[in-house]
Amino acid sequence: MSIISFIGFTLLVAFIAWYATRKTDEKSADGYYLGGRSLGYITIAGSLLLTNLSAEQIVGLNGQSFAQGVLVMAWETLAAISMIVTAIYLLPKYMRSGITTIPEFIQERFDAQTKSILSLLFLVAFGIVLLPTILYSGSLAFSTMFNLPEVLGVSQSTVIWICVWSIGIIGSIYAIFGGLKAVAVSDLVNAIGLLIGGLLIPVFGLMLIGDGSVSNGLSTLWEANPEKFNAKGEIDSFIPFGTIFTGMMIAQMYYWGTNQSILQRVFGAKSLKEGQKGMILAGFVKFLIPVIVVLPGVIAWHVFGNDLGNADQAYPALVRKVLPGAFLGFFAAVLFGAVLSSFNSLLNSSSTLFGVDLYRQYFDKNASELKMVKAGKVFGLLLAIVSMTISPFIANAPDGLFSYIQESLGSLSVPILAVVTVGIITKNVPAIGAKIVLTVGVLMYLISQFVLSPHFVDAALAEATANGITDAKELGIIKAKAYPHFLHIMGILFVINVGFMLLMGKLYPNKKVYTPKITEQIDITPWKYAKVVGIVITILVLSTYLIF
């Protein structure tokens, strides 16, 4: 029964995506990359949520809450604030230029070489970190949920290879042959399914704990695991409380305010008003998302305790335990759609970055739009093959998949956000300042996290061992104090990068002052209720920290 519901829902999504996009002109750049600038706010909100909310998010965050409790909800709730800032402040500046990519904006503000460096950084982030991780975490979820090694009679690593290539091939077909509109429409259908299916997991989980009663289950969970409901992380936790005010907001603003795979959905809006409404609606849903991506991890801790070998197996194991067969197939189809969505969104954005930003500049200056779209598709296919090849080897990465992704992306997010921020708020900072930050800024972070941090941590632990300290909690605190948390490092480096660029603006100001261009392509009238609704959502987010 579960297989039938899985196949049925997957085919339904494919049919709806085909039907909605059959009249879109996929041969033009606007048609293929931006869905013909025809997206409404509900489609944008659904696509934003699904691009963001994939298996690595659901599996990874529930794995972290399984280990450390609700403090990891900061990744979700604080995202709503950065989405509000992006919608009210950044979107009007981006969309009035009529751009297709963030590097295009950087070319306007600085120069073509700066744009190329930024495009390459995005492509490295997508191809080597994000795409392989999405494929791996999705494959791990399906393997655990359906007990595929036993069903297929093969090893776990073989199952991961099979799942990775199956998801990758189907996702590539969507992204490369369907364009943005096919991706966005399939996202909307899957987003509705994911919200319904995602809510079923904590409901059934709480019913399991509370002998059929959700409210009894919640009170039992709260009373039995008080330590899991503390939102203020200690110094040795995944998210120490202080990091919320430093690198956490840097990571959030990079992701929602400058990340091409996210903003491309909004650039496809019919108007600025639709784009703002879509992002603010997604921000409100994001505030509620911890019920889906954090609470099940705490429920799994109550149900399984220390019986699971790997925290990242907590969510798939809970799904398998609490969902009836028919629902399991539907939920697997929705999760499959979420994995596909994140995969094909990144692939579509990679094709866009290559086709729009790099192909014309370095390969064929006079390329037609059709030729540019074809070049983007070929590049997308090659990147998909590379990511499918890398993905299975992520099994060798340490536990805590979600933190691992965030830490790896810090090398790119800090300099990119610094350059975009300075590009928006100043007019006299020269291109050379941006180029230095985009190269040296990346190296500074990599040296900090992969040379200095291990050196200081190893030295502190060696000294602790020599002093006969063996208590795990005490060792964890010593390790945390030995070197600043990666989110603090992101905050420190962001200030250094911005400060350096402002200094360059004083010493070597632009000879030609930058003047933003205004497009006639779309209506750039803002949504009149954006600020009021944004303030209400921000107050709701901050109130969660008073409750916990």
Side-chain angles (χ1 to χ4, degrees), residues 72-73 94 146 155 233 246 252 257 319 324 369 382 396 417 428 431 435 454 478-479 485 502 509 513 544:
V72 300
M73 73 179 183
Y94 290 148
F146 291 105
S155 68
T246 57
Q252 300 285 14
V319 170
E369 287 204 349
L382 292 173
N396 303 322
L417 182 63
N428 62 342
K435 287 173 197 165
I478 289 168
K479 184 179 174 183
H485 191 278
L502 294 176
V513 177
T544 58

Side-chain angles (χ1 to χ4, degrees), residues 105-151:
F105 173 78
I106 290 302
Q107 180 177 17
E108 270 181 39
R109 172 60 184 84
F110 295 108
D111 62 13
Q113 284 181 320
T114 312
K115 176 193 76 170
S116 300
I117 296 169
L118 185 57
S119 297
L120 285 170
L121 287 180
F122 273 132
L123 290 173
V124 167
F126 294 170
I128 295 175
V129 180
L130 289 174
L131 285 167
T133 311
I134 286 163
L135 289 174
Y136 170 74
S137 55
S139 301
L140 181 69
F142 290 118
S143 174
T144 309
M145 244 188 271
F146 291 105
N147 198 13
L148 290 180
E150 196 176 300
V151 171

